[in-house]
Amino acid sequence: MSEFESLMFSFGLAGCFISMIFYIIFGQVTVKRLRKNHETKNILGIEYASGWDIINVAQALSIPRSWRRKLETSPLSALYANSEILYKHTTKVDRVLAATFYWLLTLSGTIMILLVIFDALSLFD
């Protein structure tokens, strides 16, 4: 295992672990409150598995506005959380927590997937 590969694996693994902690915090602090609100409980997107709405809400509060508009006007818009309503019912702290969780999850997952692909292609030998 090369030094670069080892370093990237460490970053990916640490990112996954920290994003799990943020997942629990964000779910308990923000999404739990949104689930109880009658105005927001039905706009959290489709839940493929238990807790998937936490990722939907984090995505809706984290991605750039142009991406959100594209997702919300697509034929598959029911899969995603409605960001306009969520912005009305969340605070700045909720949005920072969502962005930290979502981008950490996305980047660490991407690093791990790339490491698997690069290893399969024998780019580290």
Side-chain angles (χ1 to χ4, degrees):
M1 184 182 282
S2 71
E3 188 174 324
F4 176 73
E5 184 180 13
S6 177
L7 180 67
M8 292 308 292
F9 180 73
S10 298
F11 280 137
L13 196 58
C16 287
F17 181 72
I18 295 168
S19 69
M20 283 187 255
I21 294 169
F22 276 108
Y23 175 82
I24 293 168
I25 294 169
F26 182 67
Q28 291 298 312
V29 170
T30 304
V31 179
K32 188 175 185 180
R33 186 178 70 241
L34 293 171
R35 285 180 188 142
K36 290 179 181 180
N37 186 335
H38 71 282
E39 191 176 340
T40 59
K41 74 176 169 182
N42 293 323
I43 56 102
L44 301 179
I46 293 203
E47 226 179 323
Y48 300 112
S50 180
W52 196 272
D53 56 345
I54 297 170
I55 298 171
N56 282 341
V57 171
Q59 179 188 36
L61 295 174
S62 303
I63 61 175
R65 184 163 290 173
S66 61
W67 296 3
R68 284 194 308 258
R69 282 192 201 121
K70 207 169 259 213
L71 290 175
E72 291 170 1
T73 58
S74 76
L76 300 174
S77 63
L79 300 176
Y80 305 102
N82 186 321
S83 62
E84 298 302 320
I85 296 173
L86 290 177
Y87 265 86
K88 292 177 191 174
H89 294 280
T90 54
T91 65
K92 185 72 171 171
V93 173
D94 294 330
R95 291 182 214 127
V96 168
L97 189 59
T100 304
F101 158 63
Y102 181 74
W103 289 114
L104 189 60
L105 176 72
T106 302
L107 292 174
S108 60
T110 302
I111 287 171
M112 297 302 263
I113 291 168
L114 288 175
L115 284 173
V116 169
I117 292 170
F118 291 165
D119 189 51
L121 296 173
S122 300
L123 295 177
F124 293 123
D125 290 338

